[in-house]
């Protein structure tokens, strides 16, 4: 079994090989391409160094977007990008873009990338593997004095975990109202973009048009347990689920917990409890891979001796089919209304953001399969239940994703390991 580090290096090298083949960018493994091997020890050292930025006592990271840890981690990665010979800048959305000239300036860039921001109490591999592998690809090309025909761009997307804010700004899917959404750092998206060196007032200028890129490729951990369970080396992503998130406000009436009889309460938290159970029931009521989650909930005023008059919680729905997400939301909103009426409370839903589902490109899927086969690696095609910047980039050109196994299928946890 190939050592995992060697695998990462050789697969990316194989993809480069196909990229630099004289033929146009076609799904054909070219035996003419030189076999390039990345410096896997250097890549692993970079992963370890980056894990120090926002390290938490549980062994993972809390490097949330727009935090001091995020900013410091980005500065570290920009140094690595410069060391890899990339011309580094920050776009108006706060994305880090490293550029490398190609031999034919008329050709559109091939873009590699991922993110380095994490969820609170996240792991050390989500996003960082793809970001630092992309830097290593550029570094290897430089060391081997290889000039690809296409220009190459290495991108570290801003605020992926909050909702693909950086990549959706580039794909033109970010709305002005979303700039006021509040991120885990406490800053609004607008404040965060400026904090990272972007220019939110000019975020529209970060937008790129379909056809502005030749292809986008992202290496990422699976964040699920299929590859490990099947002892398969590589996941070839067929498509990335759509994700929609709402902020849900349940309004009742705050009152004294001692003197308000049980049958005269408008208890917002009791209604919210029924809501959480109902979401689970509605989402599981039909066949398929759809998922629904209430990941955050807060009762106000939050005192033990006050009947909660208000609850704010989150609702997230995911599926490869946008119409199914809408159907599930309509069913949930209808049932929430009935819960509210039965308890003298009301439900309001505020849309936060939407990641549109995105299929990967068949030609790139074939190229990944050929490259992996040539390296003696096993593959399987699979959907991504996690969201990725690649789904935003699919709006601009052919997209591909390469998954590597997650031990125990664990992710968004300090126990994450690949
Ligand atoms: O939430 C997700 O699916 C991704 O990890 N941002
Ligand atoms: Mn990720
Ligand atoms: Mn993630």
């Amino acid at each position: 079994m190939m050592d995992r580090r060697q695998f990462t290096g050789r697969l990316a090298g194989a993809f480069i090989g196909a990229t630099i083949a004289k033929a146009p960018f076609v799904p054909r493994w070219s035996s003419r391409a030189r076999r390039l091997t990345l410096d896997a020890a250097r890549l692993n050292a970079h992963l370890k160094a980056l894990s120090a930025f926002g390290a938490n006592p549980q062994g993972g990271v809390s490097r949330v977007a727009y935090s001091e840890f995020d900013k410091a981690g980005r500065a570290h990665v920009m140094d690595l990008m410069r060391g890899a010979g990339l011309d580094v800048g920050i776009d108006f959305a706060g994305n880090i873009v490293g550029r490398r000239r190609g031999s034919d300036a008329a050709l559109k860039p091939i873009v590699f990338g991922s993110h380095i921001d994490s969820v609170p109490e996240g792991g050390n591999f989500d996003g960082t593997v793809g970001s630092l592998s992309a830097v290593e690809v550029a570094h290897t090309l430089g060391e081997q004095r290889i000039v690809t025909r296409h220009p190459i761009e290495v991108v570290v997307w801003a605020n992926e975990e909050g909702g693909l804010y950086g990549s959706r700004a580039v794909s033109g899917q970010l709305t002005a109202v979303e700039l006021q959404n509040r991120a885990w750092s406490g800053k609004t998206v607008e404040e965060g973009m400026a904090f990272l060196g972007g220019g939110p007032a000019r975020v529209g200028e970060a937008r790129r048009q379909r056809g502005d890129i030749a292809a986008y490729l992202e290496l990422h951990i699976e964040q699920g347990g299929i590859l490990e369970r099947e002892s398969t080396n590589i996941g070839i992503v067929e498509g990335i689920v759509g994700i929609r998130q709402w902020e849900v406000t349940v309004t009742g009436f705050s009152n004294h917990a001692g003197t308000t009889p049980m049958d005269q309460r408008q208890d917002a938290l009791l209604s919210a409890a029924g809501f959480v159970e109902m979401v689970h029931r509605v989402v599981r009521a039909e066949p398929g891979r759809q998922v629904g989650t209430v990941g955050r909930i807060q009762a106000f005023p939050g005192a033990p001796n006050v009947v909660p008059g208000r609850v704010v919680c989150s609702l997230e729905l995911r599926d490869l089919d946008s119409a199914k997400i809408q159907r599930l939301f309509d069913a949930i909103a209808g049932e929430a209304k009935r819960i509210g009426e039965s308890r003298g409370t009301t439900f309001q839903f505020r849309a936060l953001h939407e990641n549109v589902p995105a299929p990967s490109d068949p030609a790139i899927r074939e190229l990944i399969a050929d490259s992996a086969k040539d390296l003696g690696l096993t593959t399987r095609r699979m959907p991504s239940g996690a969201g990725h910047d690649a789904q935003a980039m699919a709006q601009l050109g052919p997209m591909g994703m390469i998954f590597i196994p997650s031990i125990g299928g664990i992710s968004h946890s300090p126990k994450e390991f690949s």
Side-chain angles (χ1 to χ4, degrees):
M1 168 82 162
M2 176 182 292
D3 167 74
R4 199 174 302 285
R5 295 184 304 180
Q6 284 170 317
F7 139 68
T8 307
R10 291 180 64 195
L11 181 64
F15 189 81
I16 303 168
T19 311
I20 64 172
K22 287 297 163 233
F25 192 72
V26 288
R28 184 177 61 247
W29 169 242
S30 153
S31 55
R32 293 196 308 280
R34 281 171 54 186
R35 173 62 52 79
L36 294 174
T37 302
L38 306 185
D39 181 337
R42 178 169 61 195
L43 173 53
N44 280 295
H46 288 167
L47 280 165
K48 187 165 172 43
L50 183 55
S51 68
F53 293 88
N56 57 36
Q58 299 88 343
V61 283
S62 292
R63 192 171 54 240
V64 298
Y66 309 143
S67 63
E68 291 294 345
F69 292 135
D70 184 28
K71 190 166 186 175
R74 287 162 52 95
H76 172 77
V77 172
M78 285 192 273
D79 285 344
L80 298 180
M81 293 169 82
R82 292 184 193 99
L86 292 164
D87 176 17
V88 180
I90 297 176
D91 72 10
F92 288 119
N95 301 307
I96 304 170
V97 184
R99 290 185 170 83
R100 187 175 198 275
R101 270 199 306 279
S103 59
D104 184 345
L107 292 176
K108 299 298 183 189
I110 293 174
V111 185
F112 299 85
S114 195
H115 63 96
I116 67 159
D117 64 297
S118 79
V119 293
E121 298 186 18
N124 293 312
F125 296 81
D126 174 359
T128 56
V129 163
S131 300
L132 295 177
S133 296
V135 174
E136 182 56 33
V137 163
H139 206 148
T140 300
L141 288 171
E143 284 175 332
Q144 308 277 336
R145 303 203 191 303
I146 289 174
V147 179
T148 53
R149 291 190 304 123
H150 289 260
I152 278 182
E153 289 182 10
V154 170
V155 181
V156 176
W157 300 106
N159 194 358
E160 186 275 347
E161 294 292 1
L164 312 186
Y165 281 96
S167 51
R168 285 190 305 122
V170 169
S171 65
Q173 295 169 295
L174 189 65
T175 59
V177 69
E178 291 183 86
L179 292 177
Q180 300 316 316
N181 285 350
R182 200 159 294 277
W184 285 313
S185 65
K187 297 182 183 73
T188 63
V189 170
E190 184 174 44
E191 290 162 347
M193 281 183 180
F195 178 68
L196 296 186
R202 299 177 62 182
V203 69
E205 297 174 46
R207 172 163 188 181
R208 297 168 85 166
Q209 302 301 326
R210 186 159 189 85
D212 280 354
I213 64 170
Y216 176 78
L217 181 70
E218 181 163 354
L219 172 68
H220 204 284
I221 58 174
E222 177 197 343
Q223 300 182 292
I226 297 172
L227 293 175
E228 188 199 31
R229 206 166 37 248
E230 295 180 357
S231 300
T232 302
N233 300 128
I234 294 289
I236 301 173
V237 175
E238 293 165 308
I240 305 171
V241 292
I243 304 177
R244 287 178 66 183
Q245 286 184 359
W246 294 264
E247 179 185 80
V248 184
T249 302
V250 191
T251 306
F253 187 81
S254 294
N255 211 334
H256 196 294
T259 55
T260 311
M262 293 305 281
D263 62 354
Q264 292 171 33
R265 295 181 173 207
Q266 293 167 260
D267 185 335
L269 190 49
L270 184 59
S271 290
F275 173 77
V276 173
E277 189 282 329
M278 177 269 288
V279 167
H280 194 84
R281 175 168 43 79
V282 168
V283 171
R284 298 192 66 175
E286 61 174 275
R289 285 189 166 123
Q290 67 279 358
V291 290
T293 311
V294 176
R296 184 179 59 217
I297 189 164
Q298 193 170 359
F300 298 91
N305 58 351
V306 180
V307 176
R310 185 167 65 93
V311 165
V312 177
C313 66
S314 62
L315 170 64
E316 183 192 87
L317 297 173
R318 301 185 183 207
D319 193 77
L320 278 169
D321 175 1
S322 295
K324 184 192 283 190
I325 292 177
Q326 184 61 52
R327 192 170 66 244
L328 290 170
F329 175 73
D330 292 343
I332 286 167
E335 289 231 24
K337 189 166 181 298
R338 283 188 286 282
I339 292 172
E341 284 160 357
S342 70
R343 299 196 189 288
T345 57
T346 57
F347 281 80
Q348 279 100 22
F349 294 85
R350 180 170 77 89
L352 287 177
H353 76 263
E354 175 177 12
N355 302 348
V356 175
S360 60
D361 177 79
I364 297 184
R365 290 201 293 264
E366 284 313 303
L367 184 58
I368 295 170
D370 291 349
S371 304
K373 184 160 171 276
D374 184 70
L375 291 165
L377 297 170
T378 53
T379 60
R380 66 114 69 207
R381 289 156 199 268
M382 59 198 295
S384 171
H388 299 286
D389 294 302
Q391 67 195 107
M393 292 306 281
Q395 303 287 322
L396 303 181
M399 169 276 279
M401 279 202 86
I402 302 170
F403 273 174
I404 60 173
S406 291
I407 304 307
I410 298 169
S411 181
H412 282 188
S413 156
K415 296 190 177 359
E416 184 178 273
F417 183 69
S418 284

